[in-house]
Each structure stands twice: as structure tokens, then as C-alpha cells.
């Protein structure tokens, strides 16, 4: 143990999970309770899937804006620039959002010079299938760590062919003018939690990601292009009756280097009922009203990024 009473596996304030170690499941549970966030090493995602997708993304984002806009506006899938969601949130960012089912038509990319839609589709599919497999492995380790049976109680929602999961490529261009801002902070992507069950993030070697600690301080997460960062989503917070916390996070723009991140958001089928698992309740009262993922998603779309979306679904304690 380190002398501050925290296990030494907590690196730079960010819990570090080695997926190849047998005791990882307990460390993952602890990380989800304390931070709602952790870093994963020794994962099974092939490096070539990561580099192939990154090079396709760079080709796309390096195209002139007028070309990229042919793949937009996002409806919700497609290319978007500066605008985040429908409710007035903006950031120093451009992105592509695709459905991991077959709902996105990659032909939107066909008219963009030097960009091959089939290459992007293949790169996204290879990457997403490997990351989804890792996400399911992590969710099964969580179930084991919580001693819940069956161990696929969370992972089956991502494996379901109707799983409503999405994949997002974010590009934060460098912003040399940042020095003009009084606090040197330009928001790339404003503070928010992720509404799904679990998010798996990989970025290039440019800093910018920050998570909000329980004490109200923002912690800058050192970038690591070979590892993955995992967030607890709102839906997992509800399923664990608040035992796990969905983490608030944001991205600051960088003055010198562009940042590229890839995020898999693992969601349940639209008709899936989201509620605390009976096996975790042990005589506790449920903190949340039961809702379907469709209802929650619809409600979340109407909010601003920083809003606490779960508040509408909390049960009010009898006074």
C-alpha cells in the first residue's frame, strides 16, 4: 500500500486496471464506486485496428470543411461541426457519429475527395467489434466483482442485436488563440455524463480530458494512445442503485496539437427497462423510478450538456 492509504494501482489519481490480472474485478468495482472512471491496460484490442481507424479519421478530418459538410448535418448520425446536440451547446470540436448497427449510410462520405466510405466502414466495424468485446468482458468482471448472477446481466444488453450503441470520432483542432482567454481554458466539449451503460474512450497523445472528482476539483487525465479509458454511464448508475457513479467529464482544447478521440458508447435496446437490479438491493429502497432506455434517451436529448439528466427519474424520499 502507498502511504496515503490508496492502493498503488491508482496512478496519477486515475485507477489503472490490468485486464490480464485475476484480481482486476475487485479493483474495477472499487474504481466504479470511487471515480466512475478507470484506465485499462493489457486489453485485447489489436493495435492495427486502432491505427487503421485513426488514419482513416485523419484523412477525413483533414479534408476541407466544405467537403466534410457533405457528410452532415448529423441527424443524429453524420458529420457535425462546433454544435453539440440540439440545445445550444457549442465546443471547439468537429465529429462523426455513427450507429453501430447498420443505420448509418456510409455513402454520405462517398462524395468527399480522397475518402473511401468502404474503408471507413471496415475500419469502424473492426474497431467497434473489438472494443465492444472488451467492454463486455469488463461488464462481466463487474458483475463477478459485485457477486451478481448471471455474470452477463450487463453485457447481454450490449450483445443484444437491438443494442442501441453508437460510435463517435471527435476531432479537436489546435486553437492558438487560447492564450487570449483569461483562464487559458477553451472548452472543446463541455462537462457532461454519458447516458448509456458504459463508454470506452481512446485518444491520441494530446491532453485535454478532465474528470470531476467528488471534492469538486477537475483532474486532468494524462493522455495514453495505447490504453483505453472507461466511463460508467447513467444507466449503469441506475442499475447499481447509485453504487457506481457516472462520472462528469469534459475536454479542453489544446493550443498546439490536434486531439483525436474515438468513443464507443454501449447502450441497451430501446425497449429495455432500466432499474436497479434486485440482487443488489439487499433491503434497500430503489433510488430511481423504472424507465426504458428509449424514455431516458428522449429525455436526455432535451437537456443541456451539464444538466443532471437523472434528476427527473429519481424517487423523492418520503419526508
Amino acid at each position: 500500500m502507498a502511504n496515503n492509504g490508496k492502493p498503488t494501482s491508482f496512478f496519477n489519481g486515475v485507477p489503472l486496471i490490468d485486464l490480464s490480472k485475476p484480481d482486476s474485478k475487485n479493483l474495477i468495482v472499487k474504481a466504479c464506486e470511487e471515480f466512475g472512471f478507470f484506465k485499462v491496460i493489457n486489453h485485447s484490442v489489436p493495435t492495427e485496428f486502432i491505427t487503421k481507424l485513426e488514419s482513416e479519421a485523419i484523412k477525413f478530418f483533414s479534408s476541407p470543411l466544405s467537403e466534410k459538410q457533405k457528410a452532415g448535418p448529423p441527424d443524429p448520425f453524420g458529420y457535425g461541426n462546433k454544435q453539440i446536440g440540439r440545445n445550444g451547446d457549442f465546443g471547439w470540436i468537429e465529429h462523426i457519429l455513427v450507429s453501430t448497427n447498420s443505420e448509418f449510410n456510409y455513402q454520405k462520405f462517398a462524395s468527399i475527395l480522397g475518402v473511401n466510405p468502404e474503408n471507413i466502414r471496415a475500419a469502424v466495424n473492426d474497431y467497434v467489434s473489438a472494443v465492444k468485446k472488451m467492454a463486455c468482458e469488463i461488464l462481466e468482471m463487474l458483475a463477478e466483482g459485485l457477486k451478481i448472477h448471471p455474470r452477463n446481466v450487463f453485457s447481454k444488453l450490449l450483445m443484444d442485436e437491438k443494442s442501441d450503441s453508437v460510435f463517435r470520432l471527435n476531432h479537436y483542432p489546435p486553437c492558438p488563440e487560447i492564450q487570449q482567454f483569461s483562464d487559458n481554458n477553451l472548452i472543446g466539449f463541455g462537462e457532461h455524463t454519458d447516458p448509456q451503460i458504459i463508454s470506452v474512450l481512446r485518444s491520441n497523445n494530446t491532453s485535454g480530458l478532465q474528470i470531476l472528482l467528488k471534492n469538486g476539483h477537475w483532474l486532468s487525465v494524462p493522455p495514453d494512445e495505447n490504453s483505453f479509458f472507461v466511463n460508467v454511464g447513467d444507466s449503469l448508475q441506475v442499475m447499481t442503485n447509485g453504487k457506481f457513479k457516472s462520472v462528469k467529464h469534459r475536454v479542453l482544447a489544446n493550443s498546439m496539437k490536434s486531439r483525436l478521440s474515438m468513443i464507443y458508447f454501449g447502450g441497451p435496446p430501446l425497449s429495455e427497462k432500466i432499474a436497479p437490479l434486485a440482487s443488489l438491493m439487499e433491503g434497500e429502497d430503489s433510488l430511481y423510478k423504472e424507465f426504458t432506455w428509449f424514455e431516458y434517451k428522449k429525455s436526455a436529448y432535451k437537456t443541456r450538456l451539464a444538466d443532471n439528466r437523472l434528476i427527473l427519474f429519481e424517487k423523492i424520499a418520503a419526508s
Side-chain angles (χ1 to χ4, degrees), residues 232-246 274-277 281 284-291 296 308-317:
V232 169
D234 297 343
S235 299
L236 189 56
Q237 176 171 320
V238 171
M239 291 174 83
T240 59
N241 204 32
K243 190 175 171 68
F244 293 172
K245 296 284 184 277
S246 63
I274 308 287
L277 297 174
M281 300 293 280
E284 294 172 17
D285 290 330
S286 167
L287 301 178
Y288 303 96
K289 305 168 193 165
E290 184 178 272
F291 52 85
Y296 188 56
N308 176 353
R309 307 183 184 105
L310 273 176
I311 212 157
L312 299 171
F313 297 88
E314 287 171 4
K315 282 192 173 170
I316 292 147

Side-chain angles (χ1 to χ4, degrees), residues 153-169:
V153 65
F154 303 124
S155 63
K156 68 179 184 192
L157 302 175
L158 272 55
M159 296 302 290
D160 192 301
E161 59 180 31
K162 291 190 174 139
S163 152
D164 180 41
S165 298
V166 293
F167 176 66
R168 191 174 170 114
L169 282 165

Side-chain angles (χ1 to χ4, degrees), residues 60-72 79 94 112:
F60 174 80
F61 287 122
S62 306
S63 308
L65 180 59
S66 57
E67 292 281 305
K68 289 183 284 200
Q69 282 172 329
K70 294 174 184 172
Y79 171 77
E94 54 179 348
I112 300 164

Side-chain angles (χ1 to χ4, degrees), residues 14 18 32 35 47 91 93-94 100 104 115 117-118 134 144 146 202 208 219-220 223 226 241 247 274 288 298 302:
V14 176
D18 181 340
C32 290
F35 292 90
T47 311
I93 182 177
E94 54 179 348
T100 61
F104 180 70
V115 171
E118 281 315 306
M134 176 179 67
E144 280 179 18
L146 290 168
R202 181 262 166 199
L219 172 78
S220 284
N226 303 310
N241 204 32
V247 65
I274 308 287
Y288 303 96
K298 199 167 123 186
K302 292 178 182 157

